Amino acid sequence: MQQIQFIGTTPTALIELIDEVVSKRLSDLKKNFTPKEPTEFLTRQEVAEMLSVDLSTVHNWTKKEILTANQIGGRVYYKRSEVENSLIKLNK
């Protein structure tokens, strides 16, 4: 381990300097930090209700790759963000 000597700096001044730098870095992190939200999965029924369509429409859109399905244990789920991103904005 390497030793460093601080000449002309008191321990109190060094502690204050370290505290000031760490506090500044933490406040910068708090300003720019956005917590990652967990991925929300929807069932076929929930997607159908969300888009006000029939289950067969959800099935057809999945076959046409308009919607991307995920499967686990025989159950089909859709990521909410992917469903929302699959909507196309119309220019009028």
Side-chain angles (χ1 to χ4, degrees):
M1 181 183 281
Q2 188 179 19
Q3 291 184 351
I4 300 174
Q5 291 184 354
F6 292 98
I7 300 173
T9 304
T10 65
T12 306
L14 181 61
I15 290 171
E16 289 174 1
L17 179 64
I18 292 171
D19 186 43
E20 180 183 322
V21 171
V22 169
S23 296
K24 184 179 182 297
R25 296 276 170 100
L26 280 175
S27 66
D28 289 345
L29 179 65
K30 286 178 184 178
K31 282 186 228 173
N32 300 322
F33 178 74
T34 53
K36 183 178 177 183
E37 294 185 22
T39 304
E40 184 179 355
F41 289 96
L42 304 172
T43 64
R44 292 181 329 128
Q45 184 66 42
E46 290 170 332
V47 172
E49 290 172 5
M50 178 179 152
L51 300 175
S52 300
V53 297
D54 193 64
L55 278 174
S56 62
T57 304
V58 174
H59 175 73
N60 290 334
W61 286 347
T62 303
K63 286 181 73 171
K64 292 179 184 178
E65 297 182 358
I66 296 171
L67 295 175
T68 304
N70 299 283
Q71 183 176 356
I72 184 167
R75 295 191 179 261
V76 177
Y77 295 99
Y78 297 86
K79 291 182 183 176
R80 176 181 283 278
S81 59
E82 290 179 357
V83 172
E84 291 172 347
N85 291 337
S86 66
L87 296 173
I88 299 170
K89 183 177 180 179
L90 298 177
N91 294 326
K92 288 191 176 189

PDB file of all heavy atoms in Angstrom, residues 34-71:
ATOM      1  N   THR A  34     -32.261   8.905 -13.178  1.00  0.00           N
ATOM      2  CA  THR A  34     -33.660   8.510 -13.297  1.00  0.00           C
ATOM      3  C   THR A  34     -33.723   7.012 -13.013  1.00  0.00           C
ATOM      4  O   THR A  34     -33.056   6.225 -13.687  1.00  0.00           O
ATOM      5  CB  THR A  34     -34.231   8.785 -14.702  1.00  0.00           C
ATOM      6  OG1 THR A  34     -33.375   8.183 -15.670  1.00  0.00           O
ATOM      7  CG2 THR A  34     -34.322  10.268 -14.982  1.00  0.00           C
ATOM      8  N   PRO A  35     -34.483   6.617 -12.024  1.00  0.00           N
ATOM      9  CA  PRO A  35     -34.518   5.190 -11.686  1.00  0.00           C
ATOM     10  C   PRO A  35     -35.116   4.371 -12.825  1.00  0.00           C
ATOM     11  O   PRO A  35     -36.022   4.826 -13.518  1.00  0.00           O
ATOM     12  CB  PRO A  35     -35.404   5.134 -10.443  1.00  0.00           C
ATOM     13  CG  PRO A  35     -36.151   6.416 -10.424  1.00  0.00           C
ATOM     14  CD  PRO A  35     -35.351   7.416 -11.193  1.00  0.00           C
ATOM     15  N   LYS A  36     -34.570   3.211 -13.015  1.00  0.00           N
ATOM     16  CA  LYS A  36     -35.060   2.319 -14.067  1.00  0.00           C
ATOM     17  C   LYS A  36     -36.361   1.679 -13.595  1.00  0.00           C
ATOM     18  O   LYS A  36     -36.419   1.068 -12.530  1.00  0.00           O
ATOM     19  CB  LYS A  36     -34.020   1.237 -14.347  1.00  0.00           C
ATOM     20  CG  LYS A  36     -34.406   0.323 -15.471  1.00  0.00           C
ATOM     21  CD  LYS A  36     -33.342  -0.708 -15.748  1.00  0.00           C
ATOM     22  CE  LYS A  36     -33.796  -1.639 -16.839  1.00  0.00           C
ATOM     23  NZ  LYS A  36     -32.844  -2.699 -17.088  1.00  0.00           N
ATOM     24  N   GLU A  37     -37.379   1.874 -14.408  1.00  0.00           N
ATOM     25  CA  GLU A  37     -38.671   1.292 -14.061  1.00  0.00           C
ATOM     26  C   GLU A  37     -38.712  -0.155 -14.546  1.00  0.00           C
ATOM     27  O   GLU A  37     -38.223  -0.463 -15.629  1.00  0.00           O
ATOM     28  CB  GLU A  37     -39.802   2.088 -14.709  1.00  0.00           C
ATOM     29  CG  GLU A  37     -39.910   3.495 -14.157  1.00  0.00           C
ATOM     30  CD  GLU A  37     -41.091   4.243 -14.708  1.00  0.00           C
ATOM     31  OE1 GLU A  37     -42.057   3.592 -15.175  1.00  0.00           O
ATOM     32  OE2 GLU A  37     -41.048   5.472 -14.675  1.00  0.00           O
ATOM     33  N   PRO A  38     -39.300  -1.034 -13.757  1.00  0.00           N
ATOM     34  CA  PRO A  38     -39.375  -2.433 -14.183  1.00  0.00           C
ATOM     35  C   PRO A  38     -40.275  -2.585 -15.401  1.00  0.00           C
ATOM     36  O   PRO A  38     -41.224  -1.818 -15.594  1.00  0.00           O
ATOM     37  CB  PRO A  38     -39.977  -3.143 -12.968  1.00  0.00           C
ATOM     38  CG  PRO A  38     -40.657  -2.082 -12.196  1.00  0.00           C
ATOM     39  CD  PRO A  38     -39.927  -0.805 -12.467  1.00  0.00           C
ATOM     40  N   THR A  39     -39.955  -3.542 -16.241  1.00  0.00           N
ATOM     41  CA  THR A  39     -40.741  -3.808 -17.434  1.00  0.00           C
ATOM     42  C   THR A  39     -42.110  -4.337 -17.022  1.00  0.00           C
ATOM     43  O   THR A  39     -42.215  -5.266 -16.234  1.00  0.00           O
ATOM     44  CB  THR A  39     -40.028  -4.851 -18.313  1.00  0.00           C
ATOM     45  OG1 THR A  39     -38.715  -4.369 -18.607  1.00  0.00           O
ATOM     46  CG2 THR A  39     -40.782  -5.087 -19.598  1.00  0.00           C
ATOM     47  N   GLU A  40     -43.140  -3.725 -17.583  1.00  0.00           N
ATOM     48  CA  GLU A  40     -44.499  -4.159 -17.273  1.00  0.00           C
ATOM     49  C   GLU A  40     -44.999  -5.053 -18.403  1.00  0.00           C
ATOM     50  O   GLU A  40     -44.973  -4.659 -19.573  1.00  0.00           O
ATOM     51  CB  GLU A  40     -45.431  -2.956 -17.110  1.00  0.00           C
ATOM     52  CG  GLU A  40     -46.821  -3.350 -16.699  1.00  0.00           C
ATOM     53  CD  GLU A  40     -47.734  -2.149 -16.511  1.00  0.00           C
ATOM     54  OE1 GLU A  40     -47.274  -1.013 -16.614  1.00  0.00           O
ATOM     55  OE2 GLU A  40     -48.927  -2.388 -16.267  1.00  0.00           O
ATOM     56  N   PHE A  41     -45.425  -6.248 -18.053  1.00  0.00           N
ATOM     57  CA  PHE A  41     -45.941  -7.196 -19.028  1.00  0.00           C
ATOM     58  C   PHE A  41     -47.462  -7.234 -18.956  1.00  0.00           C
ATOM     59  O   PHE A  41     -48.046  -7.168 -17.877  1.00  0.00           O
ATOM     60  CB  PHE A  41     -45.378  -8.593 -18.778  1.00  0.00           C
ATOM     61  CG  PHE A  41     -43.914  -8.709 -19.112  1.00  0.00           C
ATOM     62  CD1 PHE A  41     -42.950  -8.576 -18.131  1.00  0.00           C
ATOM     63  CD2 PHE A  41     -43.507  -8.939 -20.417  1.00  0.00           C
ATOM     64  CE1 PHE A  41     -41.606  -8.672 -18.436  1.00  0.00           C
ATOM     65  CE2 PHE A  41     -42.165  -9.045 -20.734  1.00  0.00           C
ATOM     66  CZ  PHE A  41     -41.210  -8.903 -19.738  1.00  0.00           C
ATOM     67  N   LEU A  42     -48.083  -7.335 -20.121  1.00  0.00           N
ATOM     68  CA  LEU A  42     -49.533  -7.403 -20.223  1.00  0.00           C
ATOM     69  C   LEU A  42     -49.949  -8.730 -20.837  1.00  0.00           C
ATOM     70  O   LEU A  42     -49.256  -9.261 -21.710  1.00  0.00           O
ATOM     71  CB  LEU A  42     -50.052  -6.266 -21.115  1.00  0.00           C
ATOM     72  CG  LEU A  42     -49.674  -4.843 -20.721  1.00  0.00           C
ATOM     73  CD1 LEU A  42     -50.090  -3.871 -21.808  1.00  0.00           C
ATOM     74  CD2 LEU A  42     -50.316  -4.479 -19.404  1.00  0.00           C
ATOM     75  N   THR A  43     -51.079  -9.257 -20.412  1.00  0.00           N
ATOM     76  CA  THR A  43     -51.627 -10.464 -21.023  1.00  0.00           C
ATOM     77  C   THR A  43     -52.306 -10.082 -22.332  1.00  0.00           C
ATOM     78  O   THR A  43     -52.512  -8.895 -22.629  1.00  0.00           O
ATOM     79  CB  THR A  43     -52.652 -11.128 -20.093  1.00  0.00           C
ATOM     80  OG1 THR A  43     -53.753 -10.223 -19.920  1.00  0.00           O
ATOM     81  CG2 THR A  43     -52.047 -11.491 -18.750  1.00  0.00           C
ATOM     82  N   ARG A  44     -52.685 -11.088 -23.114  1.00  0.00           N
ATOM     83  CA  ARG A  44     -53.396 -10.823 -24.374  1.00  0.00           C
ATOM     84  C   ARG A  44     -54.695 -10.078 -24.102  1.00  0.00           C
ATOM     85  O   ARG A  44     -55.058  -9.148 -24.814  1.00  0.00           O
ATOM     86  CB  ARG A  44     -53.691 -12.141 -25.106  1.00  0.00           C
ATOM     87  CG  ARG A  44     -52.456 -12.829 -25.611  1.00  0.00           C
ATOM     88  CD  ARG A  44     -52.716 -14.124 -26.363  1.00  0.00           C
ATOM     89  NE  ARG A  44     -53.885 -14.859 -25.924  1.00  0.00           N
ATOM     90  CZ  ARG A  44     -54.847 -15.290 -26.748  1.00  0.00           C
ATOM     91  NH1 ARG A  44     -54.769 -15.070 -28.033  1.00  0.00           N
ATOM     92  NH2 ARG A  44     -55.867 -15.968 -26.277  1.00  0.00           N
ATOM     93  N   GLN A  45     -55.393 -10.486 -23.040  1.00  0.00           N
ATOM     94  CA  GLN A  45     -56.653  -9.838 -22.687  1.00  0.00           C
ATOM     95  C   GLN A  45     -56.441  -8.371 -22.319  1.00  0.00           C
ATOM     96  O   GLN A  45     -57.204  -7.499 -22.731  1.00  0.00           O
ATOM     97  CB  GLN A  45     -57.322 -10.590 -21.526  1.00  0.00           C
ATOM     98  CG  GLN A  45     -58.683 -10.048 -21.139  1.00  0.00           C
ATOM     99  CD  GLN A  45     -59.723 -10.239 -22.252  1.00  0.00           C
ATOM    100  OE1 GLN A  45     -59.776 -11.279 -22.879  1.00  0.00           O
ATOM    101  NE2 GLN A  45     -60.526  -9.214 -22.478  1.00  0.00           N
ATOM    102  N   GLU A  46     -55.401  -8.090 -21.547  1.00  0.00           N
ATOM    103  CA  GLU A  46     -55.112  -6.712 -21.153  1.00  0.00           C
ATOM    104  C   GLU A  46     -54.756  -5.844 -22.355  1.00  0.00           C
ATOM    105  O   GLU A  46     -55.161  -4.678 -22.434  1.00  0.00           O
ATOM    106  CB  GLU A  46     -53.985  -6.679 -20.120  1.00  0.00           C
ATOM    107  CG  GLU A  46     -54.385  -7.233 -18.768  1.00  0.00           C
ATOM    108  CD  GLU A  46     -53.209  -7.430 -17.827  1.00  0.00           C
ATOM    109  OE1 GLU A  46     -52.070  -7.648 -18.296  1.00  0.00           O
ATOM    110  OE2 GLU A  46     -53.445  -7.365 -16.605  1.00  0.00           O
ATOM    111  N   VAL A  47     -54.013  -6.418 -23.313  1.00  0.00           N
ATOM    112  CA  VAL A  47     -53.676  -5.677 -24.537  1.00  0.00           C
ATOM    113  C   VAL A  47     -54.934  -5.396 -25.333  1.00  0.00           C
ATOM    114  O   VAL A  47     -55.142  -4.274 -25.825  1.00  0.00           O
ATOM    115  CB  VAL A  47     -52.637  -6.448 -25.388  1.00  0.00           C
ATOM    116  CG1 VAL A  47     -52.435  -5.782 -26.746  1.00  0.00           C
ATOM    117  CG2 VAL A  47     -51.316  -6.550 -24.650  1.00  0.00           C
ATOM    118  N   ALA A  48     -55.806  -6.386 -25.447  1.00  0.00           N
ATOM    119  CA  ALA A  48     -57.061  -6.210 -26.180  1.00  0.00           C
ATOM    120  C   ALA A  48     -57.911  -5.110 -25.535  1.00  0.00           C
ATOM    121  O   ALA A  48     -58.458  -4.244 -26.231  1.00  0.00           O
ATOM    122  CB  ALA A  48     -57.832  -7.519 -26.233  1.00  0.00           C
ATOM    123  N   GLU A  49     -57.998  -5.111 -24.216  1.00  0.00           N
ATOM    124  CA  GLU A  49     -58.768  -4.079 -23.514  1.00  0.00           C
ATOM    125  C   GLU A  49     -58.114  -2.711 -23.656  1.00  0.00           C
ATOM    126  O   GLU A  49     -58.793  -1.707 -23.855  1.00  0.00           O
ATOM    127  CB  GLU A  49     -58.906  -4.447 -22.032  1.00  0.00           C
ATOM    128  CG  GLU A  49     -59.815  -5.627 -21.783  1.00  0.00           C
ATOM    129  CD  GLU A  49     -59.805  -6.102 -20.336  1.00  0.00           C
ATOM    130  OE1 GLU A  49     -59.156  -5.443 -19.479  1.00  0.00           O
ATOM    131  OE2 GLU A  49     -60.430  -7.140 -20.063  1.00  0.00           O
ATOM    132  N   MET A  50     -56.795  -2.681 -23.593  1.00  0.00           N
ATOM    133  CA  MET A  50     -56.060  -1.418 -23.707  1.00  0.00           C
ATOM    134  C   MET A  50     -56.287  -0.769 -25.069  1.00  0.00           C
ATOM    135  O   MET A  50     -56.452   0.452 -25.168  1.00  0.00           O
ATOM    136  CB  MET A  50     -54.566  -1.678 -23.496  1.00  0.00           C
ATOM    137  CG  MET A  50     -53.672  -0.496 -23.632  1.00  0.00           C
ATOM    138  SD  MET A  50     -51.970  -1.020 -23.302  1.00  0.00           S
ATOM    139  CE  MET A  50     -51.082   0.149 -24.277  1.00  0.00           C
ATOM    140  N   LEU A  51     -56.305  -1.581 -26.119  1.00  0.00           N
ATOM    141  CA  LEU A  51     -56.465  -1.066 -27.476  1.00  0.00           C
ATOM    142  C   LEU A  51     -57.909  -1.104 -27.960  1.00  0.00           C
ATOM    143  O   LEU A  51     -58.185  -0.735 -29.107  1.00  0.00           O
ATOM    144  CB  LEU A  51     -55.568  -1.868 -28.435  1.00  0.00           C
ATOM    145  CG  LEU A  51     -54.065  -1.809 -28.121  1.00  0.00           C
ATOM    146  CD1 LEU A  51     -53.300  -2.730 -29.061  1.00  0.00           C
ATOM    147  CD2 LEU A  51     -53.541  -0.385 -28.205  1.00  0.00           C
ATOM    148  N   SER A  52     -58.803  -1.581 -27.113  1.00  0.00           N
ATOM    149  CA  SER A  52     -60.240  -1.691 -27.446  1.00  0.00           C
ATOM    150  C   SER A  52     -60.460  -2.509 -28.718  1.00  0.00           C
ATOM    151  O   SER A  52     -61.165  -2.091 -29.640  1.00  0.00           O
ATOM    152  CB  SER A  52     -60.858  -0.298 -27.608  1.00  0.00           C
ATOM    153  OG  SER A  52     -60.730   0.441 -26.430  1.00  0.00           O
ATOM    154  N   VAL A  53     -59.823  -3.662 -28.764  1.00  0.00           N
ATOM    155  CA  VAL A  53     -59.977  -4.589 -29.894  1.00  0.00           C
ATOM    156  C   VAL A  53     -60.282  -5.976 -29.353  1.00  0.00           C
ATOM    157  O   VAL A  53     -60.179  -6.239 -28.158  1.00  0.00           O
ATOM    158  CB  VAL A  53     -58.711  -4.624 -30.795  1.00  0.00           C
ATOM    159  CG1 VAL A  53     -58.458  -3.270 -31.432  1.00  0.00           C
ATOM    160  CG2 VAL A  53     -57.491  -5.082 -30.009  1.00  0.00           C
ATOM    161  N   ASP A  54     -60.616  -6.886 -30.260  1.00  0.00           N
ATOM    162  CA  ASP A  54     -60.923  -8.269 -29.911  1.00  0.00           C
ATOM    163  C   ASP A  54     -59.621  -9.060 -29.747  1.00  0.00           C
ATOM    164  O   ASP A  54     -58.566  -8.675 -30.287  1.00  0.00           O
ATOM    165  CB  ASP A  54     -61.782  -8.881 -31.021  1.00  0.00           C
ATOM    166  CG  ASP A  54     -62.397 -10.189 -30.587  1.00  0.00           C
ATOM    167  OD1 ASP A  54     -63.210 -10.159 -29.643  1.00  0.00           O
ATOM    168  OD2 ASP A  54     -62.043 -11.224 -31.188  1.00  0.00           O
ATOM    169  N   LEU A  55     -59.694 -10.184 -29.017  1.00  0.00           N
ATOM    170  CA  LEU A  55     -58.517 -11.052 -28.861  1.00  0.00           C
ATOM    171  C   LEU A  55     -58.008 -11.561 -30.203  1.00  0.00           C
ATOM    172  O   LEU A  55     -56.799 -11.717 -30.389  1.00  0.00           O
ATOM    173  CB  LEU A  55     -58.857 -12.247 -27.959  1.00  0.00           C
ATOM    174  CG  LEU A  55     -58.808 -12.001 -26.462  1.00  0.00           C
ATOM    175  CD1 LEU A  55     -59.303 -13.236 -25.716  1.00  0.00           C
ATOM    176  CD2 LEU A  55     -57.422 -11.638 -26.010  1.00  0.00           C
ATOM    177  N   SER A  56     -58.891 -11.804 -31.142  1.00  0.00           N
ATOM    178  CA  SER A  56     -58.458 -12.290 -32.456  1.00  0.00           C
ATOM    179  C   SER A  56     -57.635 -11.228 -33.187  1.00  0.00           C
ATOM    180  O   SER A  56     -56.706 -11.557 -33.927  1.00  0.00           O
ATOM    181  CB  SER A  56     -59.660 -12.711 -33.301  1.00  0.00           C
ATOM    182  OG  SER A  56     -60.509 -11.608 -33.531  1.00  0.00           O
ATOM    183  N   THR A  57     -57.942  -9.965 -32.954  1.00  0.00           N
ATOM    184  CA  THR A  57     -57.161  -8.881 -33.566  1.00  0.00           C
ATOM    185  C   THR A  57     -55.753  -8.857 -32.985  1.00  0.00           C
ATOM    186  O   THR A  57     -54.772  -8.708 -33.719  1.00  0.00           O
ATOM    187  CB  THR A  57     -57.851  -7.527 -33.338  1.00  0.00           C
ATOM    188  OG1 THR A  57     -59.177  -7.595 -33.854  1.00  0.00           O
ATOM    189  CG2 THR A  57     -57.099  -6.401 -34.007  1.00  0.00           C
ATOM    190  N   VAL A  58     -55.645  -9.027 -31.677  1.00  0.00           N
ATOM    191  CA  VAL A  58     -54.327  -9.095 -31.038  1.00  0.00           C
ATOM    192  C   VAL A  58     -53.545 -10.267 -31.608  1.00  0.00           C
ATOM    193  O   VAL A  58     -52.357 -10.148 -31.924  1.00  0.00           O
ATOM    194  CB  VAL A  58     -54.455  -9.207 -29.498  1.00  0.00           C
ATOM    195  CG1 VAL A  58     -53.100  -9.431 -28.845  1.00  0.00           C
ATOM    196  CG2 VAL A  58     -55.134  -7.973 -28.925  1.00  0.00           C
ATOM    197  N   HIS A  59     -54.215 -11.399 -31.781  1.00  0.00           N
ATOM    198  CA  HIS A  59     -53.566 -12.585 -32.357  1.00  0.00           C
ATOM    199  C   HIS A  59     -53.086 -12.299 -33.785  1.00  0.00           C
ATOM    200  O   HIS A  59     -51.950 -12.627 -34.144  1.00  0.00           O
ATOM    201  CB  HIS A  59     -54.545 -13.765 -32.349  1.00  0.00           C
ATOM    202  CG  HIS A  59     -54.007 -14.988 -33.019  1.00  0.00           C
ATOM    203  ND1 HIS A  59     -53.036 -15.773 -32.443  1.00  0.00           N
ATOM    204  CD2 HIS A  59     -54.283 -15.549 -34.222  1.00  0.00           C
ATOM    205  CE1 HIS A  59     -52.744 -16.773 -33.263  1.00  0.00           C
ATOM    206  NE2 HIS A  59     -53.497 -16.661 -34.344  1.00  0.00           N
ATOM    207  N   ASN A  60     -53.926 -11.685 -34.599  1.00  0.00           N
ATOM    208  CA  ASN A  60     -53.556 -11.368 -35.985  1.00  0.00           C
ATOM    209  C   ASN A  60     -52.399 -10.375 -36.044  1.00  0.00           C
ATOM    210  O   ASN A  60     -51.498 -10.521 -36.873  1.00  0.00           O
ATOM    211  CB  ASN A  60     -54.762 -10.822 -36.759  1.00  0.00           C
ATOM    212  CG  ASN A  60     -55.801 -11.881 -37.028  1.00  0.00           C
ATOM    213  OD1 ASN A  60     -55.483 -13.076 -37.085  1.00  0.00           O
ATOM    214  ND2 ASN A  60     -57.055 -11.465 -37.160  1.00  0.00           N
ATOM    215  N   TRP A  61     -52.419  -9.382 -35.187  1.00  0.00           N
ATOM    216  CA  TRP A  61     -51.319  -8.408 -35.168  1.00  0.00           C
ATOM    217  C   TRP A  61     -50.011  -9.062 -34.729  1.00  0.00           C
ATOM    218  O   TRP A  61     -48.943  -8.686 -35.193  1.00  0.00           O
ATOM    219  CB  TRP A  61     -51.661  -7.239 -34.247  1.00  0.00           C
ATOM    220  CG  TRP A  61     -52.688  -6.296 -34.811  1.00  0.00           C
ATOM    221  CD1 TRP A  61     -53.133  -6.235 -36.090  1.00  0.00           C
ATOM    222  CD2 TRP A  61     -53.395  -5.285 -34.105  1.00  0.00           C
ATOM    223  NE1 TRP A  61     -54.085  -5.245 -36.228  1.00  0.00           N
ATOM    224  CE2 TRP A  61     -54.264  -4.641 -35.017  1.00  0.00           C
ATOM    225  CE3 TRP A  61     -53.403  -4.859 -32.783  1.00  0.00           C
ATOM    226  CZ2 TRP A  61     -55.093  -3.598 -34.658  1.00  0.00           C
ATOM    227  CZ3 TRP A  61     -54.236  -3.813 -32.433  1.00  0.00           C
ATOM    228  CH2 TRP A  61     -55.070  -3.193 -33.356  1.00  0.00           C
ATOM    229  N   THR A  62     -50.109 -10.057 -33.860  1.00  0.00           N
ATOM    230  CA  THR A  62     -48.909 -10.786 -33.448  1.00  0.00           C
ATOM    231  C   THR A  62     -48.371 -11.610 -34.616  1.00  0.00           C
ATOM    232  O   THR A  62     -47.156 -11.636 -34.860  1.00  0.00           O
ATOM    233  CB  THR A  62     -49.214 -11.703 -32.246  1.00  0.00           C
ATOM    234  OG1 THR A  62     -49.744 -10.907 -31.183  1.00  0.00           O
ATOM    235  CG2 THR A  62     -47.972 -12.416 -31.766  1.00  0.00           C
ATOM    236  N   LYS A  63     -49.259 -12.272 -35.363  1.00  0.00           N
ATOM    237  CA  LYS A  63     -48.834 -13.067 -36.524  1.00  0.00           C
ATOM    238  C   LYS A  63     -48.220 -12.179 -37.600  1.00  0.00           C
ATOM    239  O   LYS A  63     -47.276 -12.582 -38.281  1.00  0.00           O
ATOM    240  CB  LYS A  63     -50.023 -13.839 -37.102  1.00  0.00           C
ATOM    241  CG  LYS A  63     -50.433 -15.034 -36.242  1.00  0.00           C
ATOM    242  CD  LYS A  63     -51.581 -15.783 -36.851  1.00  0.00           C
ATOM    243  CE  LYS A  63     -51.058 -16.546 -38.054  1.00  0.00           C
ATOM    244  NZ  LYS A  63     -52.066 -17.478 -38.586  1.00  0.00           N
ATOM    245  N   LYS A  64     -48.748 -10.950 -37.753  1.00  0.00           N
ATOM    246  CA  LYS A  64     -48.221 -10.012 -38.755  1.00  0.00           C
ATOM    247  C   LYS A  64     -47.005  -9.245 -38.232  1.00  0.00           C
ATOM    248  O   LYS A  64     -46.470  -8.394 -38.923  1.00  0.00           O
ATOM    249  CB  LYS A  64     -49.306  -9.002 -39.146  1.00  0.00           C
ATOM    250  CG  LYS A  64     -50.454  -9.600 -39.911  1.00  0.00           C
ATOM    251  CD  LYS A  64     -51.487  -8.531 -40.217  1.00  0.00           C
ATOM    252  CE  LYS A  64     -52.698  -9.120 -40.909  1.00  0.00           C
ATOM    253  NZ  LYS A  64     -53.737  -8.102 -41.166  1.00  0.00           N
ATOM    254  N   GLU A  65     -46.580  -9.570 -37.016  1.00  0.00           N
ATOM    255  CA  GLU A  65     -45.433  -8.953 -36.347  1.00  0.00           C
ATOM    256  C   GLU A  65     -45.610  -7.455 -36.114  1.00  0.00           C
ATOM    257  O   GLU A  65     -44.647  -6.699 -36.060  1.00  0.00           O
ATOM    258  CB  GLU A  65     -44.132  -9.252 -37.105  1.00  0.00           C
ATOM    259  CG  GLU A  65     -43.818 -10.730 -37.131  1.00  0.00           C
ATOM    260  CD  GLU A  65     -42.511 -11.047 -37.834  1.00  0.00           C
ATOM    261  OE1 GLU A  65     -41.853 -10.123 -38.351  1.00  0.00           O
ATOM    262  OE2 GLU A  65     -42.150 -12.230 -37.862  1.00  0.00           O
ATOM    263  N   ILE A  66     -46.856  -7.037 -35.974  1.00  0.00           N
ATOM    264  CA  ILE A  66     -47.135  -5.661 -35.568  1.00  0.00           C
ATOM    265  C   ILE A  66     -46.891  -5.549 -34.070  1.00  0.00           C
ATOM    266  O   ILE A  66     -46.362  -4.553 -33.591  1.00  0.00           O
ATOM    267  CB  ILE A  66     -48.589  -5.268 -35.938  1.00  0.00           C
ATOM    268  CG1 ILE A  66     -48.742  -5.282 -37.453  1.00  0.00           C
ATOM    269  CG2 ILE A  66     -48.963  -3.931 -35.335  1.00  0.00           C
ATOM    270  CD1 ILE A  66     -50.174  -5.134 -37.935  1.00  0.00           C
ATOM    271  N   LEU A  67     -47.275  -6.595 -33.342  1.00  0.00           N
ATOM    272  CA  LEU A  67     -47.001  -6.700 -31.910  1.00  0.00           C
ATOM    273  C   LEU A  67     -46.012  -7.837 -31.686  1.00  0.00           C
ATOM    274  O   LEU A  67     -46.056  -8.845 -32.383  1.00  0.00           O
ATOM    275  CB  LEU A  67     -48.288  -6.986 -31.124  1.00  0.00           C
ATOM    276  CG  LEU A  67     -49.360  -5.905 -31.131  1.00  0.00           C
ATOM    277  CD1 LEU A  67     -50.606  -6.397 -30.414  1.00  0.00           C
ATOM    278  CD2 LEU A  67     -48.851  -4.636 -30.491  1.00  0.00           C
ATOM    279  N   THR A  68     -45.142  -7.671 -30.700  1.00  0.00           N
ATOM    280  CA  THR A  68     -44.159  -8.704 -30.371  1.00  0.00           C
ATOM    281  C   THR A  68     -44.589  -9.410 -29.092  1.00  0.00           C
ATOM    282  O   THR A  68     -44.760  -8.774 -28.054  1.00  0.00           O
ATOM    283  CB  THR A  68     -42.771  -8.078 -30.159  1.00  0.00           C
ATOM    284  OG1 THR A  68     -42.423  -7.335 -31.317  1.00  0.00           O
ATOM    285  CG2 THR A  68     -41.722  -9.143 -29.913  1.00  0.00           C
ATOM    286  N   ALA A  69     -44.781 -10.722 -29.196  1.00  0.00           N
ATOM    287  CA  ALA A  69     -45.225 -11.519 -28.048  1.00  0.00           C
ATOM    288  C   ALA A  69     -44.028 -12.156 -27.359  1.00  0.00           C
ATOM    289  O   ALA A  69     -43.027 -12.484 -27.992  1.00  0.00           O
ATOM    290  CB  ALA A  69     -46.190 -12.594 -28.506  1.00  0.00           C
ATOM    291  N   ASN A  70     -44.157 -12.331 -26.053  1.00  0.00           N
ATOM    292  CA  ASN A  70     -43.179 -13.050 -25.243  1.00  0.00           C
ATOM    293  C   ASN A  70     -43.920 -14.182 -24.556  1.00  0.00           C
ATOM    294  O   ASN A  70     -45.079 -14.028 -24.184  1.00  0.00           O
ATOM    295  CB  ASN A  70     -42.566 -12.118 -24.191  1.00  0.00           C
ATOM    296  CG  ASN A  70     -41.849 -10.943 -24.818  1.00  0.00           C
ATOM    297  OD1 ASN A  70     -40.755 -11.074 -25.312  1.00  0.00           O
ATOM    298  ND2 ASN A  70     -42.492  -9.780 -24.820  1.00  0.00           N
ATOM    299  N   GLN A  71     -43.242 -15.308 -24.398  1.00  0.00           N
ATOM    300  CA  GLN A  71     -43.929 -16.471 -23.843  1.00  0.00           C
ATOM    301  C   GLN A  71     -43.120 -17.073 -22.710  1.00  0.00           C
ATOM    302  O   GLN A  71     -41.890 -17.151 -22.772  1.00  0.00           O
ATOM    303  CB  GLN A  71     -44.126 -17.520 -24.939  1.00  0.00           C
ATOM    304  CG  GLN A  71     -44.894 -18.733 -24.480  1.00  0.00           C
ATOM    305  CD  GLN A  71     -45.146 -19.704 -25.628  1.00  0.00           C
ATOM    306  OE1 GLN A  71     -44.811 -19.419 -26.769  1.00  0.00           O
ATOM    307  NE2 GLN A  71     -45.716 -20.842 -25.322  1.00  0.00           N
TER     308      GLN A  71
END
